[in-house]
């Protein structure tokens, strides 16, 4: 692990500009937005310290809550389809995701996340406060990494 | 008594069953909670298994390796910035997938099964780490090398990784089986819990019903006792009226004597008989009565009883015909309680005499087998109506409510007799037609006994009053009793010294010689037990007779234990006191 973390820092030192150049595309009907990491971080910066089911220890993530992002772009959507770099897609129920603390992570422990470590964007949830009613498996499938774009569907 | 003990036992067994049932249900409940926890853990494991979702990641790995091969091929054909970007992103995607896979638990199993999957994955990882610094600007040589390796990995994938699918499914299957087993266990526990609770509810209902029944019985008993008390007080007033009235008449006219004295004596005797019946009954009820077990001659007993009953029958001009088994003439020795048998027979015979106005009474004794003896008492008296036949054995009951008005008695005699007979393993049965007489049948099992060879005591010269010339110490705190006992003793020829309590009695004893001491038990300052003990320290031989109105076995044995020789219950008859004194001085 330590070796890998070290390698990651070295990589980031060399290829920081490439990793930082990632963009998140958002569509809402006819409207389209493109945010890079800095722009997303300026909307409503927040941190979330949580241990994901794929990690051995908690990390501090910096990013923006899905709710804040939707408020920012004034999109009244109930369902979104998230797409990853490998074109994996998942459909997320927005009210349920928001109530589980859906969060778009941009930095892990203060650093940009490379693609090979679930970057550049990762939808995570506040697993700290998930109650017994929360469907953990559902949240796991919604925790889409290497996020590329979000297509929001207007409320019917 | 026996029936009550059985009920107590069954009620305590019931409580025990309820306690056991509760403990059992709590036990099952705890077990159930533990099993539910286990199920919870297993389901969590299963969902983690889903979370790891290895088949998915492995399938994705295969797809991504194919895509990487495609991108590398494209890059080797035409090098452009876009293609460089696409190829390196693909490498990063594969790399990420490897990380996820290497963190999952499935690979631990792979390790134990010695599959080469780990080598395969590590080979990819090490290659990527080697090219890490060259990503996004791969040279044609790097591209060719990576393409070569990727070709090999896709082939190796088919050989190695597919095995993990099987393992993963196997593990998943195992875990779901265990969840199903646990669930089944929970269902069984629930069923047994419901069963135990149902049994418990049944037991509780039973217990409630039993409690209610016992309460009703207690109420009934208390009602019967109140009725009895009302009856008793009437029955006690009647002879008391005779006593008080006679005394008043005697006070007014001291010249009349004999006739009234007989009335006085009869009334007192009736009063005493009733009080004795009540005491007997309460002793039987509290289980205080113990059976004696000694050898006696039934033939002799029967003759004694006949000797008592004959004059009473003669008085009413009724003939009393007795038939004994012929072979009893030489004596009929058995083991048993002669006093209780005498009590029963006297009760049956005196009832017969009491309720027969004219005609005869037959007493027929039969030896049915060597151990079973039957007594039949037939009278030609008023008889008993059919529907009252069983009621006469109930405590405080007589055949008719009006009977007690006519014939007197507490209605306890038959109850006592029947209870005594049952204590001895026998029974009393009755048959009757109203106005046609009554037949009581007493059956008792009595073990035959060889004739006891008791040494015959030399015939004693029966002492008369004049034989007693000596000093008697009478320790008694009640002045009336002092006066009566003093008068009786004086009539027997004794010089009487009285003391008001044990302390005075002891002082009197120290200053004088006495040939006999009569000792009351309950007295102020020093009671009879203590006084007797102190006297025994000085003189171990002087006869001491206890005199007490409390005639329980307990007091009797305590009196004997404190050194007294004999025991006379109050009220006592002159003849009885005389006999006890004679016996003590012998």
């Amino acid at each position: 692990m330590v070796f890998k973390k070290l390698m990651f820092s070295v990589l980031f030192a060399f290829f920081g500009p490439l990793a930082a150049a990632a963009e998140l595309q958002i569509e809402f009907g006819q409207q389209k937005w493109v945010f890079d990491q800095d722009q997303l971080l300026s909307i409503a910066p927040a941190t979330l310290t949580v241990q994901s089911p794929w990690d051995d220890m908690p990390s501090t993530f910096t990013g923006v809550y899905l709710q804040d992002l939707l408020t920012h772009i004034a999109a009244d959507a109930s369902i979104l389809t998230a797409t990853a770099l490998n074109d994996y897609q998942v459909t997320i129920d927005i009210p349920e995701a928001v109530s589980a603390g859906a969060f778009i992570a941009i930095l892990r422990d203060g650093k940009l996340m490379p693609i090979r470590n679930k970057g550049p964007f990762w939808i995570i949830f506040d697993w700290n406060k998930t109650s017994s009613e929360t469907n953990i498996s559902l949240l796991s499938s919604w925790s889409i990494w290497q996020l590329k774009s979000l297509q929001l569907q207007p409320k019917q | 008594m026996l029936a009550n003990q059985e009920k107590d036992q069954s009620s305590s067994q019931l409580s025990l069953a309820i306690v056991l049932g509760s403990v059992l249900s709590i036990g099952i409940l705890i077990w159930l909670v533990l099993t539910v926890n286990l199920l919870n853990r297993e389901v969590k494991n299963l969902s983690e298994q889903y979370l790891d979702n290895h088949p998915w990641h492995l399938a994705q790995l295969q797809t991504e390796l194919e895509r990487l091969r495609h991108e590398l091929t494209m890059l080797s054909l035409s090098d452009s910035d876009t293609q460089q970007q696409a190829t390196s992103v693909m490498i990063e995607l594969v790399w990420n997938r490897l990380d996820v896979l290497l963190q999952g638990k499935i690979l631990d199993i792979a390790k134990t099964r010695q599959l080469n999957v780990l080598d395969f994955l590590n080979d990819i990882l090490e290659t990527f780490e080697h090219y890490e610094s060259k990503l996004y600007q791969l040279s044609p040589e790097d591209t060719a090398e990576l393409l070569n390796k990727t070709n090999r990995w896709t082939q190796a994938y088919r050989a190695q990784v597919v095995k993990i699918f099987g393992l993963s499914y196997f593990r998943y299957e195992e875990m779901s089986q265990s969840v199903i087993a646990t669930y089944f266990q929970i269902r069984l526990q629930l069923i047994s819990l419901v069963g135990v609770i149902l049994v418990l509810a049944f037991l509780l209902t039973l217990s409630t019903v039993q409690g209610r029944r016992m309460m009703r019985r207690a109420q009934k008993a208390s009602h019967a006792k109140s009725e009895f008390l009302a009856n008793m007080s009437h029955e006690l007033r009647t002879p008391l009226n005779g006593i008080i009235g006679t005394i008043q008449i005697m006070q007014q006219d001291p010249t009349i004597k004999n006739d009234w004295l007989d009335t006085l004596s009869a009334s007192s005797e009736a009063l005493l008989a009733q009080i004795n019946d009540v005491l007997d009954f309460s002793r039987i009820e509290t289980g205080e009565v113990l059976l004696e077990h000694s050898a006696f001659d039934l033939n002799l007993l029967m003759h004694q009883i006949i000797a008592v009953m004959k004059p009473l029958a003669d008085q009413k001009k009724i003939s009393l015909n007795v038939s004994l088994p012929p072979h009893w003439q030489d004596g009929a020795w058995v083991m048993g309680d002669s006093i209780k048998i005498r009590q029963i027979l006297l009760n049956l015979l005196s009832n017969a005499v009491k309720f027969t106005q004219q005609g005869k009474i037959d007493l027929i004794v039969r030896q049915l087998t060597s151990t079973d003896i039957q007594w039949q008492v037939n009278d030609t008296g008023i008889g008993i109506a059919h529907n009252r036949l069983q009621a006469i054995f109930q405590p405080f009951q007589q055949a008719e409510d009006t009977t007690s008005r006519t014939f007197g008695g507490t209605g306890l005699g038959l109850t006592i007799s029947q209870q005594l007979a049952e204590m001895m393993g026998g029974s009393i049965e009755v048959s009757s037609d109203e106005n046609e007489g009554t037949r009581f049948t007493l059956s008792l099992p009595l073990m035959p006994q060889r004739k006891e060879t008791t040494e015959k005591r030399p015939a004693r010269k029966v002492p008369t009053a004049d034989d007693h010339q000596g000093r008697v110490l009478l320790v008694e705190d009640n002045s009336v009793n002092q006066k009566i006992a003093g008068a009786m003793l004086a009539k027997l020829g004794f010089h009487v010294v009285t003391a008001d309590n044990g302390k005075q009695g002891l002082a009197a004893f120290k200053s004088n010689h006495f040939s006999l001491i009569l000792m009351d038990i309950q007295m102020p300052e020093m009671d009879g037990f203590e006084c007797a003990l102190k006297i025994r320290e000085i003189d171990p031989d002087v006869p001491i007779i206890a005199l007490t109105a409390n005639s329980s076995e307990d007091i009797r044995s305590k009196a004997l234990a404190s050194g007294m020789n004999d025991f006379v219950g109050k009220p006592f008859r002159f003849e009885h006191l005389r006999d006890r004194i004679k016996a003590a001085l012998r």
Side-chain angles (χ1 to χ4, degrees):
Chain A
M1 273 320 271
V2 176
F3 174 72
K4 267 165 65 184
K5 284 244 164 79
L6 192 70
M7 287 305 292
F8 167 65
S9 325
V10 172
L11 178 82
F12 183 70
F14 274 90
F15 301 99
L18 276 173
E23 288 171 344
L24 181 64
Q25 296 174 13
I26 301 176
E27 286 177 32
F28 182 52
Q30 298 304 310
Q31 295 173 272
K32 282 184 184 164
W33 296 266
V34 176
F35 294 101
D36 64 19
Q37 285 105 321
D38 286 340
Q39 286 168 326
L40 269 179
L41 277 172
S42 65
I43 293 171
T47 60
L48 177 61
T49 301
V50 79
Q51 180 180 346
S52 86
W54 297 271
D55 290 318
D56 294 334
M57 54 181 67
S59 307
T60 300
F61 296 95
T62 309
V64 59
Y65 280 101
L66 179 64
Q67 192 174 20
D68 294 336
L69 174 64
L70 296 179
T71 310
H72 177 72
I73 60 173
D76 188 14
S78 58
I79 288 176
L80 68 80
T81 303
T83 309
L85 288 175
N86 66 348
D87 298 325
Y88 168 81
Q89 281 194 338
V90 68
T91 303
I92 297 174
D93 180 75
I94 292 173
E96 200 175 335
V98 164
S99 77
F103 185 89
I104 298 170
I106 298 155
L107 305 178
R108 186 205 278 253
D109 296 324
K111 287 162 191 146
L112 288 170
M113 296 183 290
I115 294 170
R116 65 171 174 83
N117 199 3
K118 303 184 178 65
F121 307 106
W122 184 14
I123 294 183
I124 59 171
F125 293 87
D126 190 354
W127 285 287
N128 299 324
K129 66 166 193 188
T130 50
S131 63
S132 55
E133 297 142 45
T134 322
N135 189 336
I136 301 261
S137 300
L138 196 64
L139 290 192
S140 304
S141 68
W142 286 354
S143 301
I144 178 169
W145 53 63
Q146 297 155 342
L147 185 67
K148 185 166 76 179
S149 66
L150 298 174
Q151 283 103 43
L152 303 169
Q153 286 167 27
K155 276 190 177 157
Q156 297 296 317
Chain B
M1 280 307 291
L2 274 175
N4 275 344
Q5 272 170 11
E6 271 165 32
K7 268 169 203 136
D8 287 350
Q9 204 181 358
S10 85
S11 119
S12 74
Q13 276 172 352
L14 192 60
S15 328
L16 186 70
I18 290 172
V19 169
L20 280 180
S22 310
V23 169
L24 192 62
S25 56
I26 290 170
I28 295 177
L29 202 63
I30 291 171
W31 189 26
L32 186 65
V33 167
L34 291 177
T35 319
V36 167
N37 270 340
L38 178 71
L39 182 70
N40 199 26
R41 249 197 330 275
E42 284 178 344
V43 168
K44 206 174 154 215
N45 282 345
L46 203 60
S47 86
E48 268 173 19
Q49 173 80 3
Y50 176 84
L51 223 146
D52 285 346
N53 204 353
H54 285 96
W56 162 260
H57 290 302
L58 288 168
Q60 284 297 102
L61 180 62
Q62 188 180 26
T63 314
E64 282 160 2
L65 280 173
E66 292 293 349
R67 283 178 65 182
L68 177 59
R69 193 154 68 128
H70 170 73
E71 298 296 347
L72 285 167
T73 312
M74 295 299 284
L75 184 62
S76 65
L77 293 177
S78 75
D79 196 345
S80 69
D81 275 359
T82 326
Q83 193 54 43
Q84 279 283 353
Q85 173 81 15
T87 310
S88 292
V89 164
M90 208 58 236
I91 287 174
E92 287 212 67
L93 289 176
V94 174
W95 199 336
N96 186 57
R97 191 70 63 193
L98 290 174
D99 272 352
V100 171
L101 270 170
L102 282 167
Q103 261 167 9
K105 285 177 195 128
I106 191 76
L107 293 169
D108 296 342
I109 299 183
K111 267 181 236 166
T112 62
R113 300 286 171 105
Q114 297 189 328
L115 295 175
N116 297 327
V117 181
L118 272 182
D119 297 345
F120 165 71
L121 296 178
N122 280 324
D123 184 29
I124 305 176
L125 208 61
E126 278 164 21
T127 311
F128 286 170
E129 276 164 5
H130 176 73
Y131 286 101
E132 190 166 11
S133 57
K134 297 174 181 167
L135 283 181
Y136 299 94
Q137 42 194 4
L138 294 165
S139 68
E141 294 78 34
D142 296 338
T143 308
E145 177 65 20
L146 276 170
L147 186 58
N148 186 26
K149 286 202 171 211
T150 307
N151 278 332
R152 264 200 290 125
W153 293 334
T154 49
Q155 278 166 19
Y157 181 93
R158 285 168 211 134
Q160 299 292 336
V161 179
V162 165
K163 291 177 188 162
I164 290 192
F165 280 102
L167 269 182
S168 178
Y169 278 123
F170 178 71
R171 198 172 137 85
Y172 188 83
E173 187 68 17
E174 239 179 18
M175 289 167 84
S176 12
Q177 284 300 330
S178 133
V179 166
I180 288 166
T182 311
Y183 178 72
F184 189 72
Q185 199 184 345
I186 285 174
R187 229 165 45 172
L188 274 182
Q189 284 166 352
L190 274 174
I191 289 168
S192 50
L193 193 62
V194 167
V196 170
I197 285 172
L198 281 179
V199 169
L200 210 57
F202 173 72
L203 289 177
L204 280 172
T205 313
L206 215 63
S207 158
T208 315
V209 167
Q210 202 183 49
R212 218 173 278 159
R213 200 187 301 140
M214 278 164 97
M215 203 172 74
R216 258 205 304 277
R217 197 181 300 129
Q219 279 170 348
K220 223 165 138 189
S222 132
H223 183 70
K225 272 177 188 153
S226 325
E227 227 169 52
F228 163 73
L229 275 180
N231 196 15
M232 263 295 290
S233 66
H234 173 261
E235 293 310 319
L236 291 178
R237 273 159 199 275
T238 309
L240 265 176
N241 185 47
I243 295 168
I244 293 166
T246 308
I247 290 170
Q248 279 181 335
I249 286 168
M250 286 173 70
Q251 278 171 338
Q252 283 161 10
D253 186 355
T255 56
I256 49 168
K257 228 179 156 192
N258 271 341
D259 195 25
W260 288 102
L261 274 177
D262 288 345
T263 312
L264 192 59
S265 172
S267 300
S268 313
E269 295 290 340
L271 190 59
L272 182 59
Q274 282 177 11
I275 291 170
N276 282 343
D277 268 2
V278 172
L279 283 176
D280 268 356
F281 176 70
S282 73
R283 274 187 205 150
I284 292 173
E285 281 286 288
T286 54
E288 237 182 271
V289 170
L290 299 174
L291 284 178
E292 222 173 89
H293 203 63
S294 57
F296 68 97
D297 183 0
L298 256 180
N299 191 44
L300 184 63
L301 178 70
M302 290 316 297
H303 280 98
Q304 286 169 349
I305 291 170
I306 294 158
V308 173
M309 293 311 300
K310 196 90 180 168
L312 293 176
D314 288 348
Q315 260 183 11
K316 289 187 78 175
K317 305 221 168 11
I318 306 164
S319 61
L320 173 61
N321 309 316
V322 181
S323 142
L324 297 177
H327 66 272
W328 279 19
Q329 279 190 342
D330 300 332
W333 285 82
V334 292
M335 285 298 281
D337 192 327
S338 60
I339 293 172
K340 305 278 191 301
I341 296 172
R342 180 202 302 265
Q343 190 178 348
I344 297 171
L345 287 171
L346 282 177
N347 175 252
L348 293 180
L349 286 167
S350 57
N351 276 349
V353 171
K354 198 199 289 183
F355 294 113
T356 304
Q357 298 308 323
Q358 53 186 4
K360 56 175 183 145
I361 296 166
D362 293 326
L363 169 61
I364 303 157
V365 188
R366 290 195 193 93
Q367 177 120 28
L368 297 181
T369 68
S370 63
T371 57
D372 285 310
I373 293 159
Q374 191 190 65
W375 289 261
Q376 258 181 24
V377 180
N378 303 333
D379 66 37
T380 55
I382 57 169
I384 304 163
H386 272 298
N387 58 353
R388 300 291 299 171
L389 274 182
Q390 285 316 305
I392 57 167
F393 291 110
Q394 297 294 315
F396 322 127
Q397 297 271 354
Q398 285 186 335
E400 300 292 338
D401 290 339
T402 53
T403 312
S404 63
R405 310 265 186 277
T406 320
F407 298 98
T410 54
L412 282 174
L414 271 177
T415 311
I416 293 168
S417 295
Q418 195 188 36
Q419 284 173 339
L420 288 176
E422 281 170 3
M423 277 175 74
M424 291 188 269
S427 66
I428 297 181
E429 274 152 23
V430 62
S431 63
S432 174
D433 284 315
E434 210 163 354
N435 302 323
E436 300 257 322
T438 312
R439 167 183 296 179
F440 282 94
T441 308
L442 166 68
S443 311
L444 288 177
L446 289 169
M447 285 301 286
Q449 180 73 11
R450 278 229 315 250
K451 183 176 180 174
E452 211 164 64
T453 52
T454 43
E455 49 179 302
K456 279 210 170 159
R457 291 201 186 94
R460 281 178 286 118
K461 180 184 158 224
V462 176
T464 63
D466 301 333
D467 294 332
H468 300 290
Q469 294 297 341
R471 218 189 293 269
V472 174
L473 175 59
L474 174 64
V475 190
E476 164 70 76
D477 64 328
N478 181 295
S479 58
V480 172
N481 289 339
Q482 231 178 45
K483 200 169 154 189
I484 292 170
M488 287 183 179
L489 288 166
K491 203 163 173 348
L492 286 170
F494 287 108
H495 176 65
V496 183
V497 175
T498 52
D500 289 342
N501 58 47
K503 213 165 167 182
Q504 281 186 22
L506 188 61
F509 181 78
K510 281 177 181 162
S511 59
N512 249 312
H513 174 78
F514 291 98
S515 48
L516 178 70
I517 297 166
L518 294 183
M519 180 76 71
D520 187 20
I521 300 292
Q522 279 165 322
M523 291 181 292
E525 306 234 15
M526 184 191 285
D527 68 15
F529 299 129
E530 193 182 343
C531 185
L533 280 172
K534 294 235 158 90
I535 288 172
R536 277 283 169 262
E537 284 171 16
I538 304 164
D539 184 341
D541 295 324
V542 61
I544 306 177
I545 299 177
L547 281 182
T548 180
N550 187 337
S551 53
S552 75
E553 281 297 324
D554 195 33
I555 297 284
R556 181 188 291 266
S557 55
K558 213 170 156 192
L560 297 181
S562 54
M564 296 191 233
N565 304 64
D566 204 351
F567 183 97
V568 173
K570 287 182 212 165
F572 47 82
R573 297 169 61 101
F574 174 70
E575 294 82 358
H576 183 60
L577 180 67
R578 187 189 61 197
D579 290 348
R580 302 323 304 164
I581 289 175
K582 271 186 212 164
L585 290 175
R586 198 166 59 231

